[in-house]
Amino acid sequence: MEYDVFICYSRSDSAIAEQICDAFDANGIKYYIDRKMQVGSEFTDQLAKVISGSRLFLFLVSEHSTSSFWVKCELHYALTTRLSEDFVLPYIIDEKPISDGVRLMISPLNQFNIFQHPIQPSLINNVRGLLKSQSPQEKGHAATPCPSEFAIQGMKMFSENKFEEAFVNFTIAAEQGHTQSQYLLGVCYEKGHGAPRNMMMAARNYRKAAESGHPEAQARLGELLYDGYYVAGDYGEAVRFFRLAADKGNRDAQVGLARCYECGLGVAQSIRNARIWYSAAALQGNAEAMRKLKSLK
């Protein structure tokens, strides 16, 4: 379903958001508002589709929204996936200072505020005018930049320790199936870079990248499955992913596979095979593999 307006807001501003919804209902304006805090890749996929499929993005600017991580994610996505300069409409609903980062993002845009432009009728008339003025091309889905562009920008931000910006770019690229971004998004979730630490989301993104053949993701997912601490343990699956990455030369996976052979976990015990894989990892400088080769009998 396509919407006229996507309402981006902080739940601390729900009272004003609901007033706007009431006004939209009275004027026949179709809108989307997320009234429940939801997490998970399926929900974020849906949210991205709703944002890119809406004709306007109404950003309720306040002290609460400009300090909200998820609001900034939605705003960044809206600004980078739609080409029309009239797509994002900032609507300032308090007089508190705006953070420099958000001020920079919305500085080129036409801005309204609730004190000079109350919900009825100024905001409604402005929204109606923008909807009416859109060209047929703008009413449809605008072209989305190539996911590799977001991935490159994300890696640049990550290298500069700008983790929130990196996380947003990796999320956008990962949602479009970019394998390296899926892996790096997993790293962000695991390390707590740019988002609260969430090992379940880390494992989910590692798995997406691993199934697409990413060796580092395969090795890391194998380790999580082997440990069984953050995700349900499965030695057989751990061996499968360790082997896929080990065959590509990943030394961490080679150590993991050797450990499975040594202990007979997920595979028939074989000291010979354990030595083979420890040796392969030791040749690449892995210290654990070197120690194991000295003690393994």
Side-chain angles (χ1 to χ4, degrees):
M1 178 180 179
E2 292 188 359
Y3 296 91
D4 293 323
V5 182
F6 178 97
I7 301 174
C8 174
Y9 75 112
S10 164
R11 279 160 189 79
S12 297
D13 301 319
S14 293
I16 292 177
E18 290 301 333
Q19 290 178 39
I20 293 172
C21 291
D22 290 342
F24 283 171
D25 285 332
N27 287 272
I29 297 172
K30 293 188 296 184
Y31 60 88
Y32 177 93
I33 183 168
D34 171 32
R35 290 186 170 93
K36 294 181 179 179
M37 182 61 191
Q38 303 180 66
V39 295
S41 61
E42 290 185 5
F43 172 67
T44 54
D45 288 347
Q46 175 194 343
L47 200 62
K49 290 177 182 177
V50 173
I51 292 173
S52 59
S54 297
R55 296 170 62 191
L56 285 178
F57 181 95
L58 180 64
F59 172 37
L60 304 190
V61 186
S62 73
E63 178 184 26
H64 303 296
S65 66
T66 56
S67 61
S68 166
F69 169 75
W70 289 110
V71 166
K72 286 188 280 188
C73 286
E74 292 175 1
L75 176 62
H76 186 280
Y77 186 80
L79 289 169
T80 54
T81 58
R82 290 294 296 270
L83 303 179
S84 170
E85 62 182 12
D86 291 330
F87 176 56
V88 176
L89 177 61
Y91 187 48
I92 301 169
I93 59 175
D94 68 22
E95 296 182 292
K96 301 294 179 62
I98 301 172
S99 68
D100 291 340
V102 174
R103 186 183 299 278
L104 178 63
M105 284 193 281
I106 66 175
S107 60
L109 306 174
N110 291 322
Q111 300 173 32
F112 275 56
N113 69 64
I114 200 169
F115 310 103
Q116 296 177 350
H117 304 89
I119 295 169
Q120 291 278 19
S122 298
L123 175 65
I124 298 302
N125 288 340
N126 188 61
V127 168
R128 279 177 161 173
L130 288 172
L131 293 173
K132 189 178 295 186
S133 67
Q134 287 181 355
S135 68
Q137 289 79 13
E138 289 171 329
K139 291 177 183 178
H141 291 208
T144 302
C146 176
S148 61
E149 296 177 23
F150 291 109
I152 292 169
Q153 182 67 10
M155 286 184 277
K156 179 178 183 295
M157 293 296 100
F158 195 93
S159 69
E160 296 173 359
N161 293 330
K162 298 177 180 177
F163 295 124
E164 283 194 8
E165 292 92 333
F167 178 86
V168 171
N169 280 280
F170 290 149
T171 299
I172 295 170
E175 286 170 352
Q176 298 179 56
H178 192 269
T179 302
Q180 176 71 357
S181 294
Q182 290 168 342
Y183 166 68
L184 291 170
L185 188 57
V187 172
C188 287
Y189 274 120
E190 180 171 4
K191 303 296 185 183
H193 289 332
R197 189 167 188 256
N198 186 327
M199 291 303 297
M200 292 298 293
M201 289 299 293
R204 182 176 297 176
N205 282 282
Y206 285 146
R207 182 175 287 277
K208 288 181 180 179
E211 296 290 3
S212 296
H214 193 287
E216 286 79 14
Q218 290 168 339
R220 191 67 196 109
L221 180 60
E223 200 66 47
L224 293 176
L225 291 166
Y226 180 91
D227 290 340
Y229 186 78
Y230 296 107
V231 300
D234 188 327
Y235 292 127
E237 277 285 273
V239 167
R240 179 169 79 89
F241 284 110
F242 279 148
R243 191 183 302 280
L244 288 170
D247 287 340
K248 297 185 183 82
N250 183 283
R251 66 181 189 177
D252 294 330
Q254 290 168 346
V255 169
L257 185 57
R259 197 186 309 130
C260 290
Y261 272 117
E262 180 185 3
C263 302
L265 298 173
V267 68
Q269 186 178 31
S270 171
I271 300 301
R272 177 179 175 276
N273 284 335
R275 281 185 172 278
I276 289 172
W277 288 111
Y278 279 137
S279 296
L283 288 173
Q284 297 191 69
N286 184 279
E288 180 184 352
M290 294 176 187
R291 289 194 301 271
K292 282 289 187 178
L293 283 173
K294 290 179 182 179
S295 62
L296 195 64
K297 295 182 180 180

